[in-house]
Amino acid sequence: MEKSSKIYVAGHRGMVGSAIVRKLQCEGYNNLILRSSLEVDLRNQSHVEQFFGSEKPEYIFLAAAKVGGILANNTYRADFLYENLMIESNMIHQSYVHKVKKLLFLGSSCIYPKLALQPLKEEYLLSGFLEETNEPYAIAKIAGIKLCENYRRQYGCDFISAMPTNLYGPNDNYDLNNSHVIPALIRKFHEAKINNAGVVEVWGSGTPLREFLYVDDLADACLFLMNSYSDVHFVNVGSGEELSIKDLAFLVKNVVGFNGKIVFDKSKPDGTPRKLMSNEKLFKLGWKNSISLKEGIKMVYNDTFKKEVVS
Ligand code: GDP
């Protein structure tokens, strides 16, 4: 990409899209196209067609998606499948029609089978059954990968895909019913601290293992891949740092400074028992993350919640 290339970041208001925009701006890319979902509804075929016809983007980061945590995925199952399939199909097809120079599609680590060997290597895709709670979202993301793969195979389009592990960072969703675990825990511990509550409830058994990546690290990896990777096979983007939900809860508790107790609500789902991605491929390509989990959680907490208390 040139600094003046016309770059469309789809989903720029979300956590991932906004991190990609920050990264591109910081690196001097000065011709970004940004549209809210009210301006262009990416689920709508004719909106997307019109948008591509008038804007003619050269490069695309496809970070627009309907996303959420374990409960949202399990509750809005039809919406997660339908909306994500529509966004991807419209975006990827129009990128082919309008000869976009390169497109990067963002997936998720939930595309892997529930009981796949760990760490999850890219070639384990479609080798077993998916986790029930997020199967619709995973099916949609697998379809996105396959669209990129097959538009490349049939039409020679330079479309690539990256699969990030569980992400957290600025502009995350803090709605307790729809959020992922890190924002949920930050909010719960923070509110318990300021309300002098004795107990914080953590969902599930605490035993599932998860890997986390700060979203600015992901944005860095996206730019790296956009500028250096061109292949039919997708690439994992992880941190290699894995811990149990119980250990995560204690880490967030300490960062926030909550002194009460933690209890586990076993009536809530655990989801997949373990989800550690293999970073081997991306490391070999020459990229590594730089922000540790503790540092990242401190940054998010200080930027999002402490400000609120001080002001
Ligand atoms: P997942 O990685 O797709 O399962 O997505 P989540 O980030 O929503 O959940 C990760 C794990 O954290 C699951 O085992 C949840 O049960 C657990 N967890 C513990 N407390 C919470 C919470 O308050 N919110 C969410 N979303 N997950 C929680």
Side-chain angles (χ1 to χ4, degrees):
M1 290 189 303
E2 305 291 326
K3 299 290 180 193
S4 61
S5 297
K6 209 164 186 187
I7 305 169
Y8 174 40
V9 181
H12 74 286
R13 289 204 168 150
M15 178 172 69
V16 172
S18 60
I20 293 174
V21 169
R22 278 198 300 282
K23 178 72 190 166
L24 290 170
Q25 285 173 338
C26 168
E27 296 290 326
Y29 293 92
N30 55 33
N31 195 3
L32 306 188
I33 312 173
L34 308 173
R35 293 286 182 280
S36 71
S37 53
L38 289 177
E39 291 169 289
V40 185
D41 181 351
L42 298 180
R43 297 165 301 186
N44 182 310
Q45 194 174 10
S46 58
H47 279 198
V48 178
E49 220 174 282
Q50 264 175 20
F51 168 71
F52 272 76
S54 61
E55 289 297 338
K56 303 198 181 342
E58 292 175 276
Y59 294 89
I60 296 184
F61 290 88
L62 181 38
K66 181 169 182 64
V67 296
I70 192 164
L71 198 63
N73 268 273
N74 204 15
T75 309
Y76 308 111
R77 299 179 69 93
D79 301 348
F80 272 77
L81 183 57
Y82 172 73
E83 294 187 25
N84 286 309
L85 284 173
M86 293 304 286
I87 293 170
E88 295 155 13
S89 303
N90 290 335
M91 287 290 301
I92 292 169
H93 184 68
Q94 288 306 318
S95 296
Y96 150 65
V97 171
H98 290 276
K99 301 186 171 51
V100 163
K101 288 184 182 158
K102 192 161 184 175
L103 174 145
L104 169 69
F105 169 68
L106 281 151
S108 156
S109 59
C110 71
I111 56 158
Y112 287 108
K114 176 173 184 167
L115 300 176
L117 279 178
Q118 311 262 338
L120 300 158
K121 292 193 176 170
E122 286 84 350
E123 59 263 33
Y124 300 164
L125 182 72
L126 295 176
S127 64
F129 294 107
L130 296 165
E131 154 61 26
E132 174 63 18
T133 53
N134 57 24
E135 188 194 75
Y137 179 70
I139 294 275
K141 288 295 178 185
I142 293 170
I145 296 172
K146 293 297 172 188
L147 281 166
C148 291
E149 254 182 57
N150 290 299
Y151 274 79
R152 177 184 288 272
R153 288 187 201 273
Q154 185 176 346
Y155 297 117
C157 300
D158 195 357
F159 297 167
I160 59 172
S161 303
M163 294 309 116
T165 190
N166 288 27
L167 300 166
Y168 67 101
N171 301 323
D172 212 338
N173 174 359
Y174 287 88
D175 172 332
L176 292 180
N177 283 323
N178 294 320
S179 66
H180 283 103
V181 62
I182 289 188
L185 293 183
I186 293 178
R187 179 172 169 184
K188 285 181 185 177
F189 284 116
H190 176 71
E191 289 179 354
K193 182 177 91 170
I194 56 176
N195 296 326
N196 287 317
V199 170
V200 162
E201 214 164 72
V202 175
W203 294 355
S205 63
T207 57
L209 296 166
R210 291 289 185 276
E211 175 194 17
F212 297 97
L213 183 73
Y214 194 73
V215 73
D216 286 19
D217 271 336
L218 172 70
D220 189 56
C222 288
L223 186 56
F224 171 81
L225 289 169
M226 188 60 121
N227 281 329
S228 66
Y229 185 77
S230 181
D231 194 85
V232 72
H233 300 293
F234 67 89
V235 186
N236 288 342
V237 185
S239 62
E241 252 191 278
E242 180 189 42
L243 80 174
S244 69
I245 295 301
K246 183 178 175 187
D247 288 345
L248 175 71
F250 278 98
L251 176 60
V252 177
K253 177 182 185 243
N254 288 336
V255 168
V256 172
F258 169 69
N259 294 319
K261 279 192 175 154
I262 294 175
V263 293
F264 292 92
D265 175 2
K266 292 190 183 156
S267 71
K268 292 286 194 310
D270 267 343
T272 202
R274 193 178 177 203
K275 209 166 31 166
L276 175 66
M277 311 240 278
S278 164
N279 273 335
E280 211 181 312
K281 188 167 171 180
L282 191 53
F283 284 10
K284 277 192 185 147
L285 290 169
W287 185 88
K288 197 181 174 330
N289 66 304
S290 59
I291 301 160
S292 75
L293 182 60
K294 191 168 182 184
E295 258 179 282
I297 291 176
K298 273 188 186 163
M299 286 197 281
V300 175
Y301 182 56
N302 291 340
D303 290 351
T304 315
F305 282 85
K306 278 216 177 143
K307 244 190 236 161
E308 201 181 88
V309 177
V310 172
S311 59

